[in-house]
Amino acid sequence: MHDRLKSEIEARRDDLVALTQDLVRIPTLNPPGENYREICDYLDRRLLRAGFQTELIRARNAPGDSDKYPRWNIVARRDGKRSGDCVHFNSHTDVVEVGHGWTTDPFGAEEKDGRIYGRGTCDMKGGLATSIIAAETFLDICPDFSGAIEISGTADEESGGFGGVAYLAQKGYFDPARVQHVIIPEPLNKDRVCLGHRGVWWAEIETKGEIAHGSMPFLGDCAVRHMGAVIEEMERSLFPALALKRTTMPVVPEGARQSTLNINSIHGGEPEQATDYTGLPSPCVPDRCRMVLDRRVLIEERIEDVEAEIRATLETVRAGRPGFDYDIRELHRVLPSMTKRDAPIVTSVAHAVERVLGRAPDYVVSPGTYDQKHIDRIGRLKNCIAYGPGILDLAHKPDEWVGVDDMVTAAQVMALSLAELLGPG
């Protein structure tokens, strides 16, 4: 049966390419959240033909949801002929902005030299197409399987997943009584099993000053200079301290095995004008400056301690800088998540990787978060991994691509995993 599954998936290579291209050519840009219904309708037609029962679900009142940009999701289910576990493949359908530097059409899905180019090919429409081909092939070869297979296409992973997997988890779609195994086909390489991800703490710091005429800055108090003092203290004490913190999590790449902090944005002074404004700025001392921080959290750390480190840095600046004042507010927090190495979905996919590639997989953890966080924390389902085709370093880059051979291999692994978990009946 394993040989039949592998050879049949190879025979469906052209279908896999065409499906990936169709998905990439639907520009589901987030923000703002374009064409979510269009891609769900496409998936609906495809999965209905394969015998799935489908449900289109709008995440009403979720962050980002509006009548102009509704947050649509699809969940498709195919039940077997007898009871058993449910294996769920979850892929997000949204893609990030195109950005500059492309040499191919970002939504052309051009196939060249064994690669498909376009925004979302790697992250993660190639993975979505791969899971569909794997499931369809398994159903054709093993029609008497036990349990159930689900495939979902969900919104907004790139902006936190609150209009997608988080919403579905709140509605019970990832209840362990309903779903027992989850594979998220994020691009972590075909020979890796991704057990989870680091956590994250986002916050905004605002330094305060006093507005005055720019020709007499001594009559005001420059909030931007105060923020400069914050950055100086971070460089002096905080960044070196973070570099010393190491994790036992197998995070890739190696540099992400320490605690990291990214200054995501800084803005001080008067608001930026529209691009068609041709005048000069007004001469004012800025009385406000805002900084957004992106702090990645290791499983050994508590987010409360992460916040305390930032506050201690600010208090150090306050102690040595007259007139310094600030506010800080949390924007977002995600706890680290890591599935156990001996979990059923881990061992099943690992066995399949070994059968297809002839070697055991590497076990890794993602440097950034993905929707496992919601399946874990809201759904209370611990048996979840990321496994899919593509190279993580290509995500969000210009000329993003996914390899056709890698998709075929990953589909074979997914189909063999289904065979182990659900059996031929």
Side-chain angles (χ1 to χ4, degrees):
M1 181 182 62
H2 292 158
D3 289 341
R4 287 184 65 199
L5 285 169
K6 290 192 290 184
S7 62
E8 181 61 25
I9 285 171
E10 180 62 52
R12 300 187 189 200
R13 173 184 291 260
D14 290 346
D15 188 17
L16 177 54
V17 169
L19 176 55
T20 304
Q21 290 175 319
D22 284 349
L23 294 171
V24 172
R25 287 166 182 160
I26 303 173
T28 46
L29 288 164
N30 178 31
E34 296 176 348
N35 301 308
Y36 284 178
R37 182 58 188 252
E38 182 180 347
I39 200 166
C40 285
D41 285 342
Y42 177 93
L43 292 168
D44 186 50
R45 293 189 296 270
R46 172 85 188 208
L47 294 169
L48 282 172
R49 289 198 302 269
F52 284 84
Q53 293 180 315
T54 61
E55 187 177 2
L56 270 65
I57 304 145
R58 178 177 168 182
R60 292 188 180 275
N61 301 316
D65 178 69
S66 67
D67 288 339
K68 185 175 183 181
Y69 297 110
R71 267 44 194 172
W72 283 104
N73 305 275
I74 183 171
V75 177
R77 183 180 178 98
R78 174 84 178 263
D79 286 302
K81 294 188 176 181
R82 55 191 59 80
S83 62
D85 286 354
C86 175
V87 179
H88 184 116
F89 293 96
N90 166 251
S91 299
H92 66 84
T93 58
D94 58 319
V95 302
V96 298
E97 65 173 306
V98 170
H100 300 286
W102 286 78
T103 63
T104 62
D105 179 351
F107 297 108
E110 175 187 358
E111 183 187 4
K112 182 180 179 181
D113 298 329
R115 299 174 176 179
I116 304 172
Y117 289 86
R119 177 55 82 222
T121 48
C122 169
D123 185 16
M124 60 179 297
K125 290 178 177 177
L128 171 55
T130 297
S131 68
I132 292 172
I133 294 295
E136 290 176 346
T137 305
F138 174 78
L139 291 169
D140 288 345
I141 301 296
C142 307
D144 295 329
F145 71 99
S146 302
I149 299 172
E150 287 190 344
I151 297 174
S152 62
T154 51
D156 282 5
E157 189 273 345
E158 299 291 3
S159 55
F162 299 102
V165 169
Y167 184 87
L168 295 179
Q170 289 164 357
K171 299 297 182 182
Y173 283 87
F174 292 99
D175 189 311
R178 182 179 185 278
V179 173
Q180 287 71 49
H181 313 271
V182 178
I183 297 174
I184 303 177
E186 290 277 8
L188 272 300
N189 296 24
K190 63 185 179 183
D191 57 352
R192 289 172 168 177
V193 174
C194 181
L195 303 174
H197 52 71
R198 294 191 299 175
V200 61
W201 186 71
W202 280 59
E204 182 183 74
I205 297 170
E206 182 177 75
T207 52
K208 303 177 181 181
E210 182 179 354
I211 195 169
H213 198 288
S215 68
M216 297 174 287
F218 44 84
L219 298 180
D221 188 13
C222 180
V224 173
R225 292 182 63 188
H226 285 315
M227 190 63 80
V230 173
I231 296 173
E232 183 179 14
E233 180 59 28
M234 287 179 171
E235 295 286 356
R236 187 191 71 80
S237 62
L238 185 57
F239 281 107
L242 296 182
L244 297 176
K245 296 186 178 187
R246 304 290 294 179
T247 183
T248 59
M249 302 173 81
V251 187
V252 290
E254 177 68 27
R257 294 194 182 185
Q258 67 178 51
S259 301
T260 59
L261 174 64
N262 176 52
I263 297 174
N264 189 73
S265 64
I266 295 179
H267 182 80
E270 63 187 79
E272 293 187 21
Q273 301 300 319
T275 55
D276 59 354
Y277 177 72
T278 60
L280 295 171
S282 59
C284 292
V285 174
D287 61 356
R288 290 290 186 274
C289 185
R290 296 186 306 279
M291 171 196 291
V292 174
L293 299 178
D294 176 354
R295 170 70 154 84
R296 298 295 160 149
V297 183
L298 309 177
I299 205 165
E300 294 86 356
E301 297 182 291
R302 298 191 321 136
I303 286 186
E304 293 78 10
D305 295 335
V306 168
E307 179 178 359
E309 283 180 335
I310 300 296
R311 289 188 178 275
T313 300
L314 294 166
E315 287 300 315
T316 298
V317 176
R318 189 204 293 272
R321 188 173 181 85
F324 179 82
D325 194 15
Y326 70 89
D327 284 327
I328 182 171
R329 68 185 182 96
E330 179 179 297
L331 302 177
H332 183 48
R333 68 165 60 190
V334 174
L335 297 176
S337 178
M338 191 165 71
T339 299
K340 294 180 179 179
R341 279 273 296 268
D342 60 355
I345 192 61
V346 177
T347 56
S348 295
V349 173
H351 292 160
V353 169
E354 196 157 4
R355 290 190 186 103
V356 173
L357 294 177
R359 62 182 184 276
D362 292 328
Y363 297 92
V364 301
V365 166
S366 173
T369 69
Y370 55 92
D371 278 333
Q372 183 168 330
K373 57 183 176 283
H374 301 309
I375 293 167
D376 180 357
R377 304 297 176 183
I378 302 174
R380 305 297 180 188
L381 176 58
K382 306 297 183 182
N383 192 36
C384 175
I385 61 166
Y387 173 79
I391 300 169
L392 183 62
D393 295 356
L394 299 174
H396 301 194
K397 297 281 286 182
D399 287 343
E400 177 185 348
W401 58 269
V402 66
V404 178
D405 285 346
D406 288 350
M407 288 196 296
V408 170
T409 298
Q412 291 171 333
V413 169
M414 292 176 186
L416 267 60
S417 300
L418 289 172
E420 178 166 320
L421 290 165
L422 305 183

